[in-house]
Each structure stands twice: as structure tokens, then as C-alpha cells.
Amino acid sequence: GRVLSVYRGLFNLRSTLVQADRIRFVQIRETAASRLLGLGAVYLHAVGVSRKQEDLLPVIPVVRTEHLPDLLRGLLPEFEPGPLTVRPADRSFLRFTGPALAAMAGAVGGGWLLGQLWPEWQPLTGWLTLAGLLPAVWFFVVRVIDWQSSGIGYTNGDFTLRYSKRFYLHTVVIPGRNVVGVT
């Protein structure tokens, strides 16, 4: 019928019944590594499923992205991501990547400063610089992927949002009936 039965947990098995009309949105989450490997995870938010409002229920923990449309169409046909109609401007690249570039410059500058202050500790400060630089470079990769893939789509009365938050890439599908207003 219109009820989705979700089983989750590794050691502590739990099951949840979700009425399809109570689902507010579906979210596809990826990291840069899972995007490069072609993997994604699907979560949903439904009224009355969780105690916390921001908690999402994992529906598909990991799936190949080429199988994702078929699985979503089979489980929740009304939550299919649509094409993007509004995309970031080409000249907004620096706005997307600026924080990551600043983090990379801060890691290199901080490492250089530590090396100047304590020259006898330069091997350690080199490792610390590398340890600070690696997450910053990875964040830069995420922001470049976000710049290429983010945007908003409006198809058949439903909204598709693509954006990044921290190190995650999100695709959110919201039915038009759940949208209160658009600014």
C-alpha cells in the first residue's frame, strides 16, 4: 500500500512503519569519495518518525548511483529528483571554493610560522602542516564538485535542491505540497 517498512540496525534491530503521505522530503547523501566511487545513501524525513526534528531515517544505506533512480521509483515514485533549472553562475567559482582555499593557505601559513618560531621542530611542523592541509584539500575537492552540481530544480510541482554542507553533497527532493513558501 502506501506504507513503507524500514528495518535498520546492526546489533539492535529496529523497524519503523512510515506512511508515504507523512514523508516531508527525501535526501540523497554523498561524500566526494562516494561520488567518485558511484555510491550514495538515501534518507527520509517523516512526521512522527523521530523524536528530534532534524533526524533523518536511513532508507537505503548504500547503493550504486546508477541503481538509485530505479530503487526510488519503486519505493517512492513521487520523490524522484528532477533536472536543475537554476544553477550557480560561472563566475561564482571563487565564492564556492574561497573557504577551502583560505583553509589551505591557513594550514601552509601556520606550518611555515611554526617552523620559523621553532626551527628545531621543523620535521614535526612539516607533518602538522600536512595533517592540516589534507582535510583542506579534500574540502576544496568537495566544493569544486558542489560548484559543478549544485542548483535548484522545479519539475511537475516538486522541488529538487542540490547543495553541500561541510564534507557532504546533498540532493533533496521536496514535493510541492510540503512547501510553504519560496523566496
Side-chain angles (χ1 to χ4, degrees):
R2 297 297 303 148
V3 176
L4 190 64
S5 181
V6 180
Y7 299 94
R8 60 187 167 145
L10 187 59
F11 300 111
N12 188 9
L13 231 69
R14 293 171 288 187
S15 66
T16 306
L17 294 175
V18 181
Q19 293 177 350
D21 60 341
R22 301 195 85 168
I23 298 173
R24 295 295 170 231
F25 64 85
V26 169
Q27 183 179 84
I28 301 167
R29 244 185 235 174
E30 300 170 295
T31 62
S34 67
R35 169 78 61 97
L36 295 174
L37 292 173
L39 301 172
V42 179
Y43 297 81
L44 62 84
H45 182 275
V47 176
V49 171
S50 177
R51 291 180 213 134
K52 297 179 187 173
Q53 186 175 1
E54 64 273 359
D55 278 353
L56 298 175
L57 181 65
V59 178
I60 304 172
V62 66
V63 67
R64 302 277 311 166
T65 50
E66 65 259 14
H67 302 303
L68 192 60
D70 294 333
L71 285 172
L72 270 177
R73 206 174 299 116
L75 287 174
L76 301 163
E78 62 271 21
F79 290 96
E80 190 172 350
L84 300 180
T85 53
V86 178
R87 301 189 57 87
D90 290 337
R91 61 185 179 276
S92 66
F93 181 75
L94 195 57
R95 184 174 179 188
F96 273 81
T97 59
L101 292 172
M104 290 186 333
V108 170
W112 178 82
L113 183 63
L114 285 174
Q116 296 301 314
L117 291 174
W118 294 286
E120 64 276 359
W121 291 80
Q122 279 187 347
L124 177 63
T125 57
W127 282 106
L128 289 175
T129 303
L130 184 62
L133 192 58
L134 286 177
V137 169
W138 193 248
F139 186 52
F140 179 76
V141 170
V142 170
R143 297 302 291 167
V144 168
I145 293 172
D146 182 36
W147 178 71
Q148 292 175 340
S149 65
S150 68
I152 301 170
Y154 182 73
T155 309
N156 299 329
D158 298 332
F159 292 91
T160 300
L161 311 169
R162 291 196 177 149
Y163 63 95
S164 74
K165 185 174 181 184
R166 296 184 193 96
F167 288 92
Y168 284 98
L169 301 161
H170 301 275
T171 301
V172 179
V173 181
I174 306 170
R177 62 179 159 73
N178 294 337
V179 176
V180 176
V182 177
T183 301

